[in-house]
Amino acid sequence: LAYDSHFFLPWIADSMTDMFALDTHKPISFTFSKAIDFKCSLVLSGVKLEKLGEQIGIGKIKGFDYEKIRHYKTPLTDDEMKYCSFDVIVLYNYIMQQITENENKITEIAKTFTGITRRESRSRCREDNVHMKMYKQCRIDDLMIMDALEAAFQGGYTHCNISNAGTVLENVDSYDLSSDYPSQMVKQKFPITKFRPYNGDSIPNPERFASLIKITYYDLKATTQHSIISTSKIRSQFDPAAAVVDNGRLQEYRGAVTLWITEQDFLIYEDFYTYDHYTIEQIYISQKGYLSDAFVFHALELYEYKTMLKNAKTPEDKLKYRLSKTMINSLYGMCVTNPLKSKWLYEYTDHRVTWQEGSETRAELLSAYNNNKSNFLPYQWGVWVTAYARRDLLSTVRKICDLAETFDDYGRPFDDVVYCDTDSIKLLNGSKYKSVFDEFNAENDRKMRESMAFFDLDADTYAPKDDKGRARPLGIFTYEPNELDVALPSYRYFKTLGAKRYVYSFVEDWDRLPKYDENGKEIEPAAFGITIAGLPKHAAAVMVDRALNNDITPFEVFEDGMHITAEETGKNCVTYIDSGFCEELTDYKGNTATVSEKAYIHIEKTSFEMGLAADFMKLLNIKKRRDYL
């Protein structure tokens, strides 16, 4: 919708109402002439049209050349018409599927990926008196507390171990947490009363109270090779000259660092930093308790469906699996929908498109949110979901650090953790740490059983069985097997250059190509793969080709300054032009027509260049010198 509507919105702006947009040029829905609702299929489905076609069993034709100049008088070839027709057929079938899922009511189709889950959860929770009482008890009325919660909120921990970065590592194992965020909602206790000021000079019992803490640390130093504190969360004046920064995270700071954190973050920092001292500026506390039956039962139900239907064969069961997976992943997203986001307003005046944010104050937005009878989830639950998840991940990392046998000049262990990303740990010598993961899983089982007992559920409710009858406990670490050779570790070779930047090979012969079935669907991946923010997965093949042509490995291609040309990336740069034009245009067949637009979009291929932050490069160079010596 963001793309298509940019062309036609200026023509209907006077009759357009109820715009819901995430940002400028990103409408999710609007109504035309009180008669036609427009909704975005991309935002709702969460996948591109090609993938959507695969999911509903239709497929999608490839091969339309968007480089050719066309206009409304340009005839389409049979193949081009087939391509365009399939776009319509895929969307038509998806809409019909959505109508079926919504009891044959087209008006009930949700606006967003998360909206499907929100509607189901809302109906369950709002009908549950205990849940609604809990929601009202911990509803945020104080803007200062809302500000503090926003400042304390962090996502998952994604970072590499600086001592293992920039080097091609052999035999790297990977462990993943199963449905990490939903597991936190089921097993942990959350703030369930209003936050109130606490006047003590130490952190209250973290088992009983959720604490929202404004704290200042003096002369912080990391005690491991892992840097945890994000510089973006610092609320005091930051002097780069006083800091050692590891790819956006604080390794050391000479001076004062002020942060808003939760009690879980406080415990994490105790594990990973030393400091001269700290002072507590402010603490707000809330009593902890399990989430409501209605919410937790919904999470467990969705996890059970997802587990049972993972290897579904029939189209109906595949649909149910996809829905359950979508919904369980959306449970967390519902909780951290920020209530203080203004609406974006669209206007077309004086022959130009303008977007502007609503003028409501934060206090007005908070009041409006609290007065909205459809709301049922407090923002702070989402804040603590990620805090608990970081604690689970990083407490495991800390135990691995404690088993290290070598240390740097500052006494920091050279541990085997290579890379972390929210719910996964990649490490060397994985079998050496099996007991660490077993210990975590045993503790997870203990917490889950306590939760099941509280909710008066069977003890194994959190561990439904898959289609082969095997129990799949929620929230445990599971080993990620090698996709090409199960006898090998997860990755034969692995190299990282920071968050969301790593490459790997499953087997020794990194140039092994993927395999496809007779329908062109990939049944076995290529040996070499990438996860590089801003670069599509298929660029791995470009890196392999470049390596072969230069008699090097793709791991050597993956370096600071790596450049992938516009022709190679497959990426496009999209520019929204908010004014119009009227021009004579000649297409690639020589046909001329007068083309008029009130607003339009320019698309061109774009290159990719990977640059590493200067602070990170400095640490890598220190590492290289140390390795050389």
Side-chain angles (χ1 to χ4, degrees):
L1 187 62
Y3 179 91
D4 292 333
S5 67
H6 186 68
F7 291 92
F8 69 78
L9 266 173
W11 301 89
I12 67 168
D14 291 342
S15 301
M16 184 271 293
T17 57
D18 300 326
M19 168 73 77
F20 175 37
L22 292 174
D23 206 336
T24 61
H25 302 107
K26 291 184 179 178
I28 288 178
S29 66
F30 53 83
T31 299
F32 167 61
S33 196
K34 299 182 180 180
I36 302 174
D37 282 340
F38 288 89
K39 296 180 182 180
C40 183
S41 58
L42 176 60
V43 173
L44 178 59
S45 66
V47 294
K48 294 181 179 179
L49 205 57
E50 182 177 351
K51 185 68 175 178
L52 187 61
E54 289 178 13
Q55 289 182 353
I56 60 180
I58 294 175
K60 188 173 184 294
I61 305 299
K62 298 182 180 180
F64 196 94
D65 186 357
Y66 285 94
E67 295 284 299
K68 293 179 179 178
I69 296 176
R70 298 181 179 84
H71 50 61
Y72 62 90
K73 288 185 178 180
T74 306
L76 296 178
T77 66
D78 289 345
D79 285 343
E80 289 171 342
M81 183 61 78
K82 189 175 182 181
Y83 178 97
C84 297
S85 298
F86 261 74
D87 279 5
V88 178
I89 292 167
V90 168
L91 274 179
Y92 168 78
N93 280 273
Y94 179 66
I95 292 169
M96 294 305 294
Q97 186 184 90
Q98 287 295 310
I99 292 171
T100 301
E101 290 172 16
N102 288 277
E103 300 177 350
N104 294 321
K105 298 175 182 176
I106 192 171
T107 56
E108 295 299 312
I109 297 175
K111 294 179 180 178
T112 66
F113 203 54
T114 303
I116 301 170
T117 315
R118 186 184 301 277
R119 185 170 55 203
E120 175 68 20
S121 295
R122 180 187 289 118
S123 65
R124 294 179 182 223
C125 293
R126 290 194 65 82
E127 292 171 5
D128 184 85
N129 292 331
V130 173
H131 177 94
M132 291 311 296
K133 181 179 179 182
M134 187 183 294
Y135 168 66
K136 290 172 183 176
Q137 280 179 337
C138 59
R139 190 168 58 190
I140 305 163
D141 300 315
D142 189 329
L143 186 58
M144 289 180 63
I145 292 176
M146 187 65 216
D147 291 341
L149 285 168
E150 284 185 311
F153 171 69
Q154 299 181 58
Y157 177 76
T158 302
H159 205 63
C160 69
N161 179 341
I162 187 64
S163 69
N164 286 325
T167 303
V168 182
L169 304 169
E170 297 189 36
N171 300 326
V172 171
D173 291 293
S174 182
Y175 282 84
D176 297 339
L177 282 162
S178 64
S179 296
D180 186 17
Y181 287 172
S183 77
Q184 306 298 342
M185 296 174 175
V186 171
K187 72 180 179 182
Q188 304 285 14
K189 294 180 179 179
F190 289 80
I192 59 169
T193 61
K194 285 191 184 299
F195 279 96
R196 57 182 175 83
Y198 177 77
N199 296 321
D201 56 1
S202 60
I203 310 301
N205 182 347
E207 297 298 319
R208 291 187 58 204
F209 297 102
S211 295
L212 190 56
I213 310 155
K214 187 177 184 182
I215 189 169
T216 300
Y217 291 100
Y218 295 86
D219 295 338
L220 274 168
K221 287 184 180 179
T223 57
T224 70
Q225 306 294 330
H226 303 275
S227 305
I228 311 301
I229 296 173
S230 174
T231 55
S232 67
K233 304 305 291 185
I234 296 173
R235 291 293 174 262
S236 51
Q237 186 173 356
F238 182 73
D239 178 8
V244 178
V245 179
D246 171 5
N247 208 22
R249 293 185 181 269
L250 204 59
Q251 187 182 94
E252 182 179 331
Y253 194 80
R254 299 175 299 281
V257 173
T258 302
L259 307 155
W260 275 104
I261 61 175
T262 71
E263 83 287 346
Q264 298 301 309
D265 297 302
F266 177 81
L267 296 171
I268 291 168
Y269 299 163
E270 289 292 294
D271 276 345
F272 284 91
Y273 289 94
T274 58
Y275 42 82
D276 182 77
H277 67 286
Y278 66 77
T279 58
I280 294 174
E281 317 289 338
Q282 177 73 64
I283 300 180
Y284 296 107
I285 64 169
S286 168
Q287 189 170 325
K288 282 185 176 180
Y290 287 113
L291 300 184
S292 69
D293 294 26
F295 193 74
V296 170
F297 290 4
H298 191 202
L300 290 168
E301 181 182 290
L302 290 172
Y303 182 66
E304 182 179 18
Y305 283 144
K306 176 188 170 187
T307 303
M308 291 190 305
L309 298 171
K310 185 172 184 178
N311 299 311
K313 300 294 189 294
T314 68
E316 293 80 7
D317 284 346
K318 286 182 179 179
L319 173 61
K320 289 178 182 177
Y321 170 72
R322 192 168 67 251
L323 277 173
S324 61
K325 185 176 180 180
T326 298
M327 292 175 75
I328 196 169
N329 291 337
S330 298
L331 288 176
Y332 158 72
M334 292 191 307
C335 292
V336 287
T337 301
N338 193 319
L340 302 189
K341 295 203 75 170
S342 296
K343 287 184 177 181
W344 284 95
L345 307 175
Y346 175 95
E347 285 188 1
Y348 182 74
T349 53
D350 298 327
H351 308 290
R352 188 168 185 83
V353 172
T354 58
W355 290 86
Q356 63 182 47
E357 203 167 1
S359 59
E360 305 97 329
T361 65
R362 288 171 61 82
E364 289 171 339
L365 288 169
L366 183 60
S367 176
Y369 180 83
N370 286 333
N371 290 329
N372 188 330
K373 301 300 182 184
S374 68
N375 292 324
F376 66 103
L377 289 173
Y379 176 73
Q380 59 265 42
W381 288 358
V383 175
W384 260 260
V385 166
T386 54
Y388 279 127
R390 290 192 300 276
R391 178 92 190 280
D392 273 358
L393 185 84
L394 289 167
S395 63
T396 306
V397 169
R398 178 72 241 199
K399 289 177 181 177
I400 294 170
C401 291
D402 290 342
L403 295 175
E405 298 174 353
T406 57
F407 302 83
D408 68 11
D409 294 340
Y410 301 98
R412 295 177 299 204
F414 289 125
D415 61 277
D416 283 333
V417 172
V418 176
Y419 183 86
C420 296
D421 190 348
T422 306
D423 59 357
S424 70
I425 298 175
K426 303 186 190 305
L427 72 166
L428 298 162
N429 304 309
S431 59
K432 176 181 175 181
Y433 305 101
K434 184 177 182 301
S435 61
V436 172
F437 293 105
D438 287 345
E439 181 182 330
F440 176 91
N441 290 345
E443 176 63 12
N444 180 74
D445 287 347
R446 183 189 69 78
K447 285 186 175 181
M448 284 292 183
R449 290 178 183 276
E450 282 184 358
S451 174
M452 298 304 99
F454 175 85
F455 291 110
D456 198 24
L457 296 169
D458 290 340
D460 59 355
T461 303
Y462 74 97
K465 291 181 171 59
D466 62 18
D467 60 328
K468 294 182 174 60
R470 295 172 297 195
R472 299 291 186 183
L474 176 62
I476 65 167
F477 271 110
T478 58
Y479 183 72
E480 181 186 340
N482 188 298
E483 292 190 30
L484 293 182
D485 188 345
V486 293
L488 292 173
S490 306
Y491 308 102
R492 179 66 182 89
Y493 298 113
F494 188 95
K495 180 181 178 182
T496 179
L497 287 172
K500 301 296 184 182
R501 288 180 172 182
Y502 62 84
V503 298
Y504 54 86
S505 177
F506 291 119
V507 290
E508 191 85 23
D509 48 337
W510 44 260
D511 58 343
R512 187 190 296 185
L513 297 174
K515 292 182 180 179
Y516 301 92
D517 63 15
E518 62 275 9
N519 298 316
K521 186 176 181 180
E522 185 178 285
I523 55 175
E524 188 177 281
F528 180 79
I530 64 173
T531 294
I532 303 174
L535 197 58
K537 297 284 186 183
H538 63 249
V542 175
M543 296 171 66
V544 169
D545 288 343
R546 189 174 296 179
L548 291 170
N549 291 334
N550 292 280
D551 197 25
I552 57 176
T553 73
F555 296 94
E556 294 169 274
V557 175
F558 180 59
E559 288 286 357
D560 181 41
M562 178 183 72
H563 180 80
I564 308 294
T565 68
E567 294 298 323
E568 293 172 321
T569 62
K571 288 182 59 178
N572 289 320
C573 178
V574 179
T575 305
Y576 286 81
I577 313 298
D578 290 330
S579 57
F581 71 93
C582 183
E583 300 285 348
E584 291 290 310
L585 185 68
T586 301
D587 69 10
Y588 78 101
K589 287 181 174 289
N591 303 310
T592 300
T594 301
V595 177
S596 177
E597 295 290 351
K598 291 188 174 183
Y600 62 100
I601 292 171
H602 174 74
I603 302 177
E604 63 179 319
K605 294 178 179 178
T606 184
S607 61
F608 172 86
E609 184 157 344
M610 187 172 70
L612 303 183
D615 288 324
F616 188 59
M617 284 296 297
K618 182 178 178 180
L619 292 178
L620 281 180
N621 288 331
I622 292 172
K623 172 187 177 299
K624 287 179 181 177
R625 290 197 297 272
R626 185 199 69 221
D627 292 347
Y628 176 77
L629 293 173

